[in-house]
Amino acid sequence: MDIIRIKGTRPLRGTVAISGAKNAALPLLAATLLTPGTHTLHNVPDLRDTGTMLLLLEKLGASWERSGTSVQVDTTGLSGSEAPYDLVKTMRASVLVLGPLIARTGHARVSLPGGCAIGARPINFHLRGFEQLGVETILEGGYVEARANGPLEGSTVYFDLPSVTGTENVLMASIMAQGKTIIKNAAREPEVGNLIDMLTGMGAEIDGRDTDLLTVTGVDFLQPVEATIIPDRIEAGTYLMAVGAAGGELTVTGCNPSHLPSLVEKLHGVGMYIEGRGDSFTVSCPVDSSGHRCSLRAVDITTMPYPGFPTDLQAQFMALMMQAQGVSIIHETIFENRFMHVAELQRLGADITIEGGSAIVRGVSRDKICGAPVMATDLRASASLVIAALAASGTTDISRIYHLERGYENMVKKLKDVGADIEKMAG
Ligand code: EPZ
């Protein structure tokens, strides 16, 4: 199994270009199922997860072709409506094919995703939303069978929690339903807005973009579309925090600074210099008169739905706080088990105590953060290990890096190009 080897304490200097957002590419690729024809998506990141979604579309009868960061998907000849367990268990976002298949064919059979490292992650909100649109859902043998007995009927769908993929799934199922559908307590993440833009381009009628109240007026006809994936705000935030850990100065280009309001506020509180202008950030750490890096301040965070602090940046922020001056309380409210990275960060010298849904991070001096072999447990945990390894003295070997490759395009090259001593090698 491949590992990533990092020799830390080297400052980062230069420019990192951000790729398309994984969590936008996945719903937008699924949305190509809504209507036959050839769709063209631009700025599609080349990741394990986008590869899995393209494989799933193939299994459903679609064909696709990548040319650079653009992908053409032809969904004219759908030949199936089943998403098998072996695919869904590797990527839970496969459930995003439910909504478009139900809208287009009235039927879908998708394996229940099961839990993952960060939590149980049920899809009950998705299924309840479909049922309110007139779809029958039957759970059998680890699969959900969804069937519409006639045209879908517009309805009011209320989400107990603003589920991102739940909002996306119900939205896609509703756009050709008869009448109006109101989605209350909808997710407001930028990736949902990106999907709404694509669906509108296909001919859907959706009001309330970027709010928690979406109103869909069903249409009879959709057409294939050309759409562009927004930049990956989680990738951008990860690199901003990498500078906090390693020191130096980066320009992070091809991103949308307005998509990271809470992180920028928090990193200002930590004492970092961050300026977002146009499609770029410049970011650096404070240094004293002799050019030595100043200490970062410990800051508390609570993860919340957008525009609050993203749960997908929690692990990375913890890796930053392990070397800050003071105590940081990190409260995770979205997932019940998103502290798998704590034990691995402790192997690198972190002083962290977990109390219920909070992690208490007592900053240690940089000389106490030392390289060691560690193991990635999930996508964002693996990014936090990279950040900690960049700060650590000595060598850190990170195993199970397939987790990292699910959601970060060319991370080893991007970091090496700005001065990190980082290699991917056989473990
Ligand atoms: C999306 O997952 C993202 N994935 C996640 O990113 C992200 O962490 C999450 O939203 C929160 O922002 C994609 O967009 C592909 P949710 P999703 O439904 O939609 C509970 C990453 O690292 N819930 O918003 O699955 C759920 O358990 C990944 O890129 C139900 O109870 O998350 C959680 O506690 C990780 N029933 C909360 O709601 C449901 O039917 C929010 O989950 C659905 C969700």
Side-chain angles (χ1 to χ4, degrees), residues 8-44:
T9 73
R10 296 176 58 145
L12 305 179
R13 295 195 191 290
T15 299
V16 172
I18 297 303
S19 304
K22 168 182 81 79
N23 290 347
L26 297 176
L28 272 72
L29 283 167
T32 62
L33 293 167
L34 278 163
T35 188
T38 298
H39 307 254
T40 303
L41 298 183
H42 301 295
N43 201 28
V44 181

Side-chain angles (χ1 to χ4, degrees), residues 22-24 26-27 49 91-93 95-96 116 118-127 159 161-168 187 189 191 233-234 304-306 310-312 333-336 338 378-380 407:
K22 168 182 81 79
N23 290 347
L26 297 176
D49 274 11
M91 186 189 66
R92 4 173 352 84
V95 299
L96 282 166
C116 78
I118 64 177
R121 301 188 71 189
I123 60 168
N124 55 318
F125 300 160
H126 302 231
L127 303 182
F159 281 103
L161 293 170
S163 166
V164 175
T165 52
T167 300
E168 292 163 347
E189 273 69 4
E191 295 75 23
R233 61 193 168 98
I234 304 303
M304 294 296 280
Y306 193 87
T311 176
D312 291 349
T333 69
I334 308 294
F335 292 110
E336 67 270 26
R338 203 166 199 174
D378 57 83
L379 169 55
R380 306 306 173 180

Side-chain angles (χ1 to χ4, degrees), residues 362-377:
R362 294 175 182 81
V364 298
S365 57
R366 270 190 214 105
D367 61 346
K368 289 196 173 58
I369 300 174
C370 304
V374 289
M375 184 180 75
T377 51

